[in-house]
Amino acid sequence: MAESRDDLAESLQNLFTSVSTMVKSELQGTNNHLDLLEKMNLRVASEYDDLGDVASGLRVFAEQMKSKSGGFDEFVGQIDAIEKQVSEFEAVISVLDRYVSVLESKVRTEYRHPHHRRSNDSVVTD
């Protein structure tokens, strides 16, 4: 019976050792995961710091561009005024072009048919 107790004690000892080893392994795995998460968090924090620097640089660049573009507003106004004048000139030219076409048509008709003069038109002869 003493031998059976020694076998039982040895089996229990092996069981507790195995359970202890298993728990240690689980805890080590958890520690490894936590270490990995910590490294990942540090890396992401570093990336966000870099992005913050980029965003800050972009903000400064945008402000510089805005201050430089303010000087162009005057020129844009002048260009708009010129475009308006050009549109008005084009309208006048279009009216004049139609008037000239009508006059040309009348002159051609008169030269082709000189006998169709109205009675109140005066004919100059030498």
Side-chain angles (χ1 to χ4, degrees):
M1 193 142 187
E3 194 174 301
S4 148
R5 279 188 174 180
D6 286 340
D7 286 341
L8 180 62
E10 187 178 331
S11 293
L12 286 174
Q13 182 65 33
N14 287 340
L15 174 68
F16 289 135
T17 302
S18 296
V19 168
S20 173
T21 302
M22 183 185 76
V23 169
K24 283 181 185 178
S25 296
E26 287 288 323
L27 290 174
Q28 186 61 45
T30 301
N31 278 342
N32 290 343
H33 280 108
L34 291 175
D35 288 342
L36 177 63
L37 283 174
E38 181 182 15
K39 289 176 184 175
M40 289 172 63
N41 281 339
L42 291 173
R43 175 72 176 150
V44 169
S46 172
E47 293 279 333
Y48 279 128
D49 285 344
D50 293 345
L51 289 176
D53 293 343
V54 169
S56 178
L58 287 174
R59 182 183 51 79
V60 169
F61 178 74
E63 288 173 0
Q64 289 173 347
M65 295 309 297
K66 184 178 179 181
S67 69
K68 288 180 182 179
S69 70
F72 293 121
D73 290 343
E74 177 185 344
F75 297 116
V76 170
Q78 291 175 357
I79 290 171
D80 289 342
I82 290 170
E83 284 180 356
K84 182 179 177 188
Q85 289 175 345
V86 167
S87 295
E88 291 170 356
F89 286 143
E90 286 174 343
V92 168
I93 289 170
S94 177
V95 168
L96 291 174
D97 189 45
R98 284 194 303 266
Y99 181 72
V100 167
S101 294
V102 168
L103 287 178
E104 286 175 345
S105 175
K106 286 182 180 181
V107 167
R108 279 190 206 122
T109 303
E110 190 63 32
Y111 278 118
R112 285 184 196 152
H113 308 293
H115 61 280
H116 292 298
R117 290 193 183 130
R118 286 180 247 152
S119 61
N120 60 355
D121 288 344
S122 61
V123 177
V124 178
T125 56
D126 291 330

